[in-house]
Amino acid sequence: MGLLDVSDVEIRYGQVPAVRDLSLSVDAGEIVTLLGANGAGKTTTLRMLSGLHRPSRGSVTFDGTDLTQLVAHRIVQLGIGHVPEGRRIFPVMTVAENLEMGAFRHRRRHDASETLAEIFELPVLEERSSQLGGDLSGGEQQMLAIGRALMGQPRLLLLDEPSMGLAPLVVETIFSIITKIRDRGTTILLVEQNAAKALSIADRGYVLETGRIVLADNAQTLLRNDRVRMAYLGEDIAS
C-alpha cells in the first residue's frame, strides 16, 4: 500500500466523465509524474486529490485515510499540499503574507518561523518578502506558490505544470528545487507537459490520455517508449 492510492476512480463534470477508471499509487519518498496532453484530465485529477472535485466512483486513500468525502482544508491538514496550475498567488498581498497563508495548518500548534526560514532558502523569496506578489516575475511567482504550499509542511506535494510559461533557465531552477524538496523528505506527484524534464527527475510515471491511464512504468523505461517519444518528446523515431 502506497502513501497515496487511487483505485478505479471516475470524475465527472455534470454528466460528462472527465477521468475514467483511474488507478495510480505514489510511495513515500518518490517523485511520480503524470503526463498527458491538454484536456487529458491531469489537472482534474489533482483537483480531485485536493478535495476540490469529488469523484463519482472509486477510492482514494492517503496513508490509509479515505479522502473521497473530505473537504479541501481537511485534506491539507492531513498533509497534502497543492501548487495549482497558473500559480494562483494572492497578487495584492506581500510575499511574506502569501507564505503566512500557507501556514494555517500549523498556526495553533507551532511557530511557523522555522518553516519560513527554510522557505526563504528558495531563490529570491527572502529579498522580495515585502514586495507584492503581483509584482513578481513568472518564475518568482512559481517559487512563491511552491513556498506557500511548503509552509503547511506537506507529506505529499501536488505540483501542476510548474514550468508553464517560464524561460528555460528558470525551468532548470524550478526542477532543481523540486528534486531538493523530495530529497528533504516530501513525496511529489508532478503534472507536467515538459515530459523530458519530468521523466528526468521522476522515479515512475503515468500517461493519461482522454481521461484514462494508458501507460505506467518507471521513468527511464517511459523515456525509451516509442509512444512517449513520439507523442510527448517530439521525436521522429523513424528517422
Side-chain angles (χ1 to χ4, degrees):
M1 192 174 190
L3 179 65
L4 175 72
D5 284 289
V6 178
S7 179
D8 197 28
V9 159
E10 180 178 86
I11 310 169
R12 289 177 172 267
Y13 288 102
Q15 297 302 310
V16 180
V19 174
R20 293 163 290 178
D21 305 318
L22 177 71
S23 295
L24 60 83
S25 65
V26 182
D27 294 333
E30 283 191 306
I31 296 177
V32 174
T33 187
L34 185 60
L35 306 176
N38 286 335
K42 307 184 303 299
T43 292
T44 296
T45 297
L46 293 195
R47 287 176 58 83
M48 179 271 296
L49 295 174
S50 290
L52 300 175
H53 198 111
R54 288 187 177 174
S56 56
R57 176 170 58 82
S59 68
V60 183
T61 59
F62 176 67
D63 199 19
T65 299
D66 180 12
L67 301 184
T68 54
Q69 299 302 313
L70 296 183
V71 293
H73 73 269
R74 177 62 181 139
I75 291 175
V76 172
Q77 290 170 341
L78 286 175
I80 297 179
H82 187 177
V83 181
E85 181 181 10
R87 300 178 278 275
R88 303 294 182 92
I89 61 149
F90 301 106
V92 297
M93 297 173 69
T94 67
V95 166
E97 289 167 341
N98 269 271
L99 293 173
E100 287 169 8
M101 292 297 292
F104 82 93
R105 173 191 172 198
H106 297 290
R107 230 168 231 169
R108 294 183 181 178
R109 288 180 287 175
H110 86 298
D111 183 356
S113 61
E114 290 185 13
T115 305
L116 185 61
E118 293 181 7
I119 303 308
F120 275 158
E121 294 178 14
L122 296 176
V124 312
L125 291 188
E126 184 170 19
E127 62 191 78
R128 299 277 198 274
S129 62
S130 61
Q131 191 168 335
L132 294 180
D135 292 339
L136 302 180
S137 69
E140 291 167 346
Q141 288 186 6
Q142 186 63 64
M143 292 171 198
L144 176 57
I146 292 171
R148 182 181 60 190
L150 292 176
M151 285 295 293
Q153 297 185 332
R155 296 167 60 198
L156 172 65
L157 183 63
L158 311 176
L159 286 166
D160 195 352
E161 302 286 5
S163 75
M164 182 170 54
L166 302 182
L169 284 177
V170 181
V171 171
E172 292 292 332
T173 300
I174 293 295
F175 275 86
S176 176
I177 289 169
I178 293 169
T179 301
K180 289 177 182 177
I181 292 169
R182 189 274 303 273
D183 291 344
R184 290 185 174 183
T186 302
T187 304
I188 293 172
L189 179 57
L190 169 65
V191 161
E192 178 57 54
Q193 284 198 21
N194 188 335
K197 291 296 299 180
L199 291 171
S200 73
I201 66 169
D203 299 290
R204 295 186 296 113
Y206 295 87
V207 178
L208 193 62
E209 292 183 358
T210 59
R212 293 182 186 271
I213 298 288
V214 296
L215 286 172
D217 216 321
N218 69 70
Q220 293 306 307
T221 299
L222 288 174
L223 275 170
R224 297 190 297 269
N225 182 280
D226 288 348
R227 185 172 182 175
V228 172
R229 290 168 60 195
M230 287 189 296
Y232 303 107
L233 303 182
E235 296 183 18
D236 181 358
I237 64 172
S239 60

